[in-house]
Amino acid sequence: MFGVNLKQYRQFLTKNERNKVYLRKNSAEGRAIADSKYKTKRILAKNGVNVPKLLARFKNNEEVEKFGWTNLEGNFVVKPVSGYGGEGILIIRRKITNDKLRITNFLMMNGKTISIEDIKRHCQDILVGKYSLHGSPDSVIVEERIKIHPMFLSLTKAGTPDIRVIVFNKVPVMAMFRIPTEKSGGKANLQQGAYGLGIDLATGITTFGIEGKGEEIAKIYDFGKKKMIKVNGIKIPFWKEILETAVKCQGAISSLGFMGVDVVLDKDKGPEVLEVNARPGLSIQLCNKAGLKRRIEKIDDVTVRSDEHAISLSKYLFGEKFADKVAEKEKEKTIQPLETIKMKIPRGVKPDFQKSPILKQGKHRVVEVRAKVDTGAFRSSIDRSLAEKMGLLSMEKILYFRHYKSSLGKHRDRPVIGVTFWLKGKKVVTAVNVADRNKLRTKFLLGRKDLEGFLISAKKI
């Protein structure tokens, strides 16, 4: 496994663990919904989630024959209701009519021409179960093909790119950008040879890339710019809306506690859901160079209060440090055991700091806080009184409560909150513990989780 050390490997979710441990969150009812694209589409649409428009559904050959195929101008997709792995999907771009010969054909996304009779035969193959998940008789749906977002269109000429988001316990825990290739037959399926680019959940910026089953790639071709570009640093449009859409899918199908959501971007309508998956593949870990197991364990017992809370958890717990490096392109900086950080003040909060004036960091309001570097602590922590002054202890700001045992043997719950601060000009978005530091000189402690990319001076204070 490329670029992954033994410690990271232990954080990876294996297929057996996924099937035996985490799929316990998925009931038989939930799996049945996910296995039927038609049921999924109906339930999501009913719950306000955008999905491609349904044009037709066929349950037998008679319905296929009676359908007015010549009335379609193009921009449609034919797919099996219970298909899997992208198999059995026809993506039609436009209609080709020869008036002299009175023949109507269609141009597919892969550049090949297909006749109406060939489309009918394909539908018949679907009906007998050629592409179904369990090989049993199936039905066909014809839906509107999305108008691909210009940014996505520039990265492929072979199909429709999408974003796969893994959601567990209502929280997005990992995401990847899937780009179809000629090798994958125009399908956004890594097993068939598509590209997979990891995405930082906090920013929507791509990080690493693989081709197919795990071959690492550094660059892909941009047809708009007509040159090779790096796989890292690509900003996904409508990122917040994509995460909100993924969270809403689990709210709509609550019987699926562990799911993959495939989202496409329509240039006019924004995010739309193609399908949900009750058994999402695990290659997403390779293109993120991160393990699902570790992330799932972090939020397994967390009570998620709202969609907004779910996205906050995702942003503060699983934001990648790599994205900051891509954005800032800076070298390692040396810091002292005592440093001054600039903490972001939330919108709408009017803190009263008598000795520390409110400053500006770009478009953000910040206040300077003296911090102590402590590599013995994993997570950073903030003084409770300081957190209260900054309006960070309201219920909507608290991510979750961490249970711990005090030095006196008492069991207590400590709030964990999301904060943003700047250290030596580097922006850090993280989750920190709230602790009583009232009697200490420093009101903020910097743990090693937030010190990646910094060198710590051995100079004594």
Side-chain angles (χ1 to χ4, degrees), residues 24-241:
R24 73 185 190 279
K25 296 280 187 177
N26 297 346
S27 68
E29 178 188 1
R31 292 194 299 271
I33 294 171
D35 291 345
S36 169
K37 294 179 178 63
Y38 179 67
K39 289 181 180 178
T40 299
K41 183 184 289 288
R42 286 186 61 189
I43 290 174
L44 294 184
K46 184 178 179 181
N47 285 272
V49 178
N50 289 336
V51 294
K53 181 181 177 182
L54 181 67
L55 301 178
R57 182 191 180 202
F58 310 130
K59 292 180 282 187
N60 53 55
N61 289 330
E62 185 180 357
E63 291 176 342
V64 173
E65 292 293 338
K66 286 183 177 181
F67 184 68
W69 294 100
T70 56
N71 295 328
L72 297 176
E73 293 300 321
N75 279 325
F76 64 90
V77 179
V78 179
K79 60 173 64 173
V81 166
S82 300
Y84 67 99
E87 294 290 338
I89 297 176
L90 291 182
I91 306 174
I92 308 299
R93 190 170 185 178
R94 61 182 175 87
K95 182 163 68 174
I96 304 172
T97 303
N98 188 318
D99 293 329
K100 290 183 179 180
L101 299 177
R102 295 183 180 180
I103 296 175
T104 298
N105 292 322
F106 289 97
L107 181 68
M108 297 192 294
M109 281 298 293
N110 60 10
K112 296 180 181 179
T113 300
I114 187 170
S115 68
I116 290 178
E117 290 305 313
D118 285 337
I119 294 177
K120 289 180 181 179
R121 278 191 287 271
H122 183 77
C123 290
Q124 290 163 2
D125 285 341
I126 293 175
L127 290 170
V128 297
K130 183 176 180 179
Y131 307 103
S132 68
L133 185 62
H134 304 294
S136 54
D138 201 357
S139 56
V140 184
I141 57 173
V142 181
E143 65 183 22
E144 192 176 68
R145 184 177 75 87
I146 71 149
K147 298 175 183 176
I148 305 175
H149 190 281
M151 192 279 277
F152 284 17
L153 194 60
S154 68
L155 297 178
T156 182
K157 296 298 180 184
T160 304
D162 67 19
I163 294 98
R164 162 70 63 85
V165 182
I166 302 294
V167 185
F168 182 81
N169 190 23
K170 303 179 184 177
V171 179
V173 293
M174 197 169 284
M176 66 175 168
F177 181 24
R178 304 191 302 181
I179 304 173
T181 62
E182 289 186 10
K183 184 178 179 181
S184 71
K187 298 180 177 67
N189 189 300
L190 267 61
Q191 299 301 315
Q192 296 177 357
Y195 296 143
L197 277 55
I199 306 176
D200 169 41
L201 288 170
T203 61
I205 297 174
T206 58
T207 55
F208 307 99
I210 62 171
E211 178 182 2
K213 296 183 179 180
E215 182 182 346
E216 188 172 7
I217 55 173
K219 292 185 176 183
I220 56 176
Y221 191 76
D222 188 312
F223 293 91
K225 297 178 180 178
K226 297 182 179 180
K227 65 176 184 179
M228 299 295 288
I229 62 170
K230 292 181 179 180
V231 296
N232 58 54
I234 301 172
K235 175 69 176 176
I236 305 296
F238 299 101
W239 183 241
K240 184 181 178 183
E241 290 83 356

Side-chain angles (χ1 to χ4, degrees), residues 319-352:
E320 298 289 345
K321 302 301 179 186
F322 183 86
D324 294 329
K325 295 177 186 177
V326 169
E328 298 174 13
K329 298 179 181 178
E330 61 184 7
K331 296 180 180 179
E332 287 184 327
K333 295 180 178 180
T334 301
I335 58 174
Q336 303 300 320
L338 288 177
E339 282 289 346
T340 298
I341 63 173
K342 294 180 179 179
M343 287 191 61
K344 177 183 173 182
I345 301 171
R347 289 182 182 178
V349 175
K350 297 179 180 179
D352 181 20

Side-chain angles (χ1 to χ4, degrees), residues 184-424:
S184 71
K187 298 180 177 67
N189 189 300
L190 267 61
Q191 299 301 315
Q192 296 177 357
Y195 296 143
L197 277 55
I199 306 176
D200 169 41
L201 288 170
T203 61
I205 297 174
T206 58
T207 55
F208 307 99
I210 62 171
E211 178 182 2
K213 296 183 179 180
E215 182 182 346
E216 188 172 7
I217 55 173
K219 292 185 176 183
I220 56 176
Y221 191 76
D222 188 312
F223 293 91
K225 297 178 180 178
K226 297 182 179 180
K227 65 176 184 179
M228 299 295 288
I229 62 170
K230 292 181 179 180
V231 296
N232 58 54
I234 301 172
K235 175 69 176 176
I236 305 296
F238 299 101
W239 183 241
K240 184 181 178 183
E241 290 83 356
I242 289 171
L243 291 183
E244 288 173 345
T245 298
V247 174
K248 285 180 180 178
C249 283
Q250 196 164 72
I253 312 175
S254 57
S255 48
L256 285 182
F258 180 79
M259 68 195 306
V261 181
D262 295 341
V263 183
V264 290
L265 274 189
D266 187 285
K267 69 176 183 179
D268 298 323
K269 302 174 184 176
E272 293 191 334
V273 176
L274 281 183
E275 61 180 284
V276 300
N277 196 311
R279 309 165 192 84
L282 301 175
S283 296
I284 191 171
Q285 299 174 109
L286 296 179
C287 54
N288 279 278
K289 290 190 178 181
L292 272 170
K293 182 179 179 181
R294 173 72 173 173
R295 295 190 178 189
I296 287 172
E297 288 172 347
K298 278 189 176 182
I299 49 94
D300 196 0
D301 296 324
V302 173
T303 300
V304 181
R305 301 186 297 271
S306 64
D307 292 357
E308 185 178 347
H309 182 218
I311 294 172
S312 293
L313 284 165
S314 178
K315 174 181 177 181
Y316 288 110
L317 294 180
F318 308 129
E320 298 289 345
K321 302 301 179 186
F322 183 86
D324 294 329
K325 295 177 186 177
V326 169
E328 298 174 13
K329 298 179 181 178
E330 61 184 7
K331 296 180 180 179
E332 287 184 327
K333 295 180 178 180
T334 301
I335 58 174
Q336 303 300 320
L338 288 177
E339 282 289 346
T340 298
I341 63 173
K342 294 180 179 179
M343 287 191 61
K344 177 183 173 182
I345 301 171
R347 289 182 182 178
V349 175
K350 297 179 180 179
D352 181 20
F353 295 107
Q354 297 178 357
K355 296 181 180 179
S356 302
I358 295 176
L359 307 174
K360 282 284 186 179
Q361 178 73 35
K363 62 181 180 180
H364 305 291
R365 296 182 305 151
V366 296
V367 63
E368 290 186 341
V369 176
R370 193 164 173 79
K372 177 184 177 181
V373 175
D374 184 357
T375 56
F378 173 71
R379 192 183 298 281
S380 299
S381 61
I382 184 174
D383 177 57
R384 181 179 294 273
S385 61
L386 175 60
E388 287 176 346
K389 283 183 180 180
M390 297 190 67
L392 295 172
L393 282 184
S394 57
M395 186 52 67
E396 64 269 17
K397 302 292 184 187
I398 296 175
L399 299 178
Y400 60 94
F401 289 89
R402 178 172 167 266
H403 189 75
Y404 75 102
K405 190 175 181 179
S406 71
S407 58
L408 297 177
K410 295 183 178 180
H411 292 271
R412 301 189 179 186
D413 288 325
R414 176 177 288 166
V416 177
I417 60 176
V419 302
T420 301
F421 65 84
W422 284 261
L423 174 60
K424 291 289 186 181

